[in-house]
Amino acid sequence: MIHIDPKVFPKADGAFLVGGSIRDMLCGRSPVDYDVAVLGDPLEFARLIATRTKGRLVEIGKPGQMIMRVVSDSAIVDIAQAKDVSIQKDLMVRDFTINAMAYDLSSNRLIDPVGAQGDLKNKIIRMVSKDIFKRDPIRLLRAYRIAAEFQFEIESQTNAAIQRHASLIQQSAGERVRAEFFKM
């Protein structure tokens, strides 16, 4: 069941809750933070969230990968521009199927183009595409962290890809590797 706090998240065309927060809610957990992908201007939506929650707006990241973070007493919300012109395409570049869902804030519907709900039900970690580890090697560790945290199994093709690309972890910044280990 997905419960969205209307005091935090307004109905907004082109704004979608995405990723781990959706996974967590469907698993009956309270998300630590929320990720929002917007098809429009992330700064405009972040200002709206900050006003609604009396939160503080902070820009984080680097040029071309900026995230607007709103921190308030009621929530931590990261807002980014969707990676493509549609939310479906944005979801197809995410890491694992269970993190490739979106909740449309305007229509209150779940978008699941990769069968994530089935993988949640079957407790499976499955990569969305074959190049996810090349695009971000931290995902090699994230697969094991999520599997351990949720007591899920890593699907065989995903496990084989992890083994095949294990050496890529050396390309990742040390602080990102450390952060994944601390989360474990």
Side-chain angles (χ1 to χ4, degrees), residues 97-98 114-126 152:
T97 58
I98 61 171
V114 295
Q117 293 174 89
D119 284 348
L120 278 176
K121 180 181 177 188
N122 295 317
K123 299 185 173 199
I124 299 291
I125 305 290
R126 181 186 321 272
F152 283 14

Side-chain angles (χ1 to χ4, degrees), residues 5 10 17 24-25 28-29 35 48 52 56 59 71 96 112 117 123 141 147 155 164-165 182-184:
D5 186 345
L17 279 175
D24 289 351
M25 286 187 274
R29 297 177 175 210
D35 293 324
L48 178 61
R52 293 172 72 93
R56 184 158 186 237
E59 292 184 35
V71 180
F96 307 108
D112 179 6
Q117 293 174 89
K123 299 185 173 199
L141 298 175
E155 176 264 339
R164 194 169 47 253
H165 298 296
F182 282 143
K183 288 178 184 177
M184 283 184 200

Side-chain angles (χ1 to χ4, degrees), residues 8-9 33-36 49 68-71 75-79:
V8 175
F9 299 104
D33 60 8
Y34 297 87
D35 293 324
V36 177
I49 298 288
M68 307 299 147
R69 176 169 284 172
V70 176
V71 180
I76 298 171
V77 183
D78 288 341
I79 301 110

Side-chain angles (χ1 to χ4, degrees), residues 59-75:
E59 292 184 35
I60 57 176
K62 56 187 176 182
Q65 297 178 331
M66 294 300 292
I67 295 173
M68 307 299 147
R69 176 169 284 172
V70 176
V71 180
S72 71
D73 290 341
S74 57

Side-chain angles (χ1 to χ4, degrees), residues 101-164:
M101 291 179 281
Y103 184 81
D104 187 332
L105 290 171
S106 67
S107 68
N108 296 325
R109 72 179 178 96
L110 185 66
I111 301 165
D112 179 6
V114 295
Q117 293 174 89
D119 284 348
L120 278 176
K121 180 181 177 188
N122 295 317
K123 299 185 173 199
I124 299 291
I125 305 290
R126 181 186 321 272
M127 60 189 170
V128 172
S129 66
K130 294 179 192 282
D131 65 343
I132 68 163
F133 303 118
K134 291 178 186 173
R135 282 188 271 130
D136 185 358
I138 287 298
R139 293 168 168 172
L140 295 158
L141 298 175
R142 190 173 298 145
Y144 288 108
R145 175 180 57 82
I146 294 171
E149 182 180 345
F150 286 86
Q151 298 181 337
F152 283 14
E153 294 293 322
I154 298 174
E155 176 264 339
S156 62
Q157 289 182 4
T158 302
N159 197 41
I162 290 170
Q163 292 174 19
R164 194 169 47 253

